[in-house]
Amino acid sequence: MFFLSDVLNKKLNLPKAAEALPGRAKAIPTASRHFVSKRPLKGPYPEGLETALFGLGCFWGAERLFWQVEGVWVTAVGYAGGVTPNPSYQETCTGLTGHAEVVLVVYDPKIVSYAELLKLFWESHDPTQGMRQGNDVGTTYRSAIYTFGDAQYQAAIASRDAYEASLHGANHGKITTEIAAAPEFYFAEEDHQQYLAKNPYGYCNLQGTGVACAIPASVSA
């Protein structure tokens, strides 16, 4: 029993640098192209596109949400926010890399706004659960928005504050979403890219709160 509680404790707490797995110097191989759109996963991306990075639990179902959005040019799943360089999926699942499972979203802001992506993010999961998402327990599944530039950061904060007020009105708890400047993104292995397109009946644990997210006008502009 002590062993099991110790493992759970590690999964619910981010590791210190000295506790983290060492990882590796070289990037783990991944797909060259998006399984659905056939576009290059790692770029080069067309001029004028922007990038967003979201963590909302298991990245299989989360990625599918975004690749279906008009104006999203390409998506990829990977790991970010932790310590271990170039981690594997198995390593990340131990909770000893510090990384969250995340989705990289490359989009055309002339077609879909960052505010619209934020709305989809908030409404598609429960951002009040801390180090878990439903039955998926651990730091790997924490809610996170990693931002590129001050405009994204301010938009993320404003949308969080607005949504937290809506959630409070519906008797939900405080939002625990991590919001920070985007750290290095490590692409996940090929098997995990666009997983639910390859495995239509595969596991997806995404479940929102049912509370609509009204993005403030200042963010929508």
Side-chain angles (χ1 to χ4, degrees), residues 44-85:
Y45 308 130
E47 189 175 348
L49 299 190
E50 296 182 6
T51 303
L53 196 58
F54 301 109
L56 52 158
C58 175
F59 53 21
W60 293 341
E63 185 187 17
R64 181 172 61 181
L65 286 174
F66 290 102
W67 86 55
Q68 295 175 337
V69 174
E70 184 180 0
V72 169
W73 197 81
V74 77
T75 58
V77 295
Y79 319 109
V83 178
T84 301

Side-chain angles (χ1 to χ4, degrees), residues 48-120:
L49 299 190
E50 296 182 6
T51 303
L53 196 58
F54 301 109
L56 52 158
C58 175
F59 53 21
W60 293 341
E63 185 187 17
R64 181 172 61 181
L65 286 174
F66 290 102
W67 86 55
Q68 295 175 337
V69 174
E70 184 180 0
V72 169
W73 197 81
V74 77
T75 58
V77 295
Y79 319 109
V83 178
T84 301
N86 299 300
S88 69
Y89 179 74
Q90 289 78 12
E91 289 169 342
T92 302
C93 286
T94 66
L96 293 175
T97 69
H99 292 297
E101 291 190 10
V102 294
V103 182
L104 179 73
V105 181
V106 181
Y107 66 100
D108 186 343
K110 297 185 182 68
I111 300 174
V112 60
S113 68
Y114 187 62
E116 290 173 298
L117 297 178
L118 285 170
K119 179 177 174 65
L120 179 62

Side-chain angles (χ1 to χ4, degrees), residues 130-146:
M131 298 300 186
R132 68 181 300 153
Q133 197 58 217
N135 293 328
D136 294 327
V137 179
T139 58
T140 310
Y141 306 107
R142 68 189 185 270
S143 177
I145 304 173
Y146 296 123

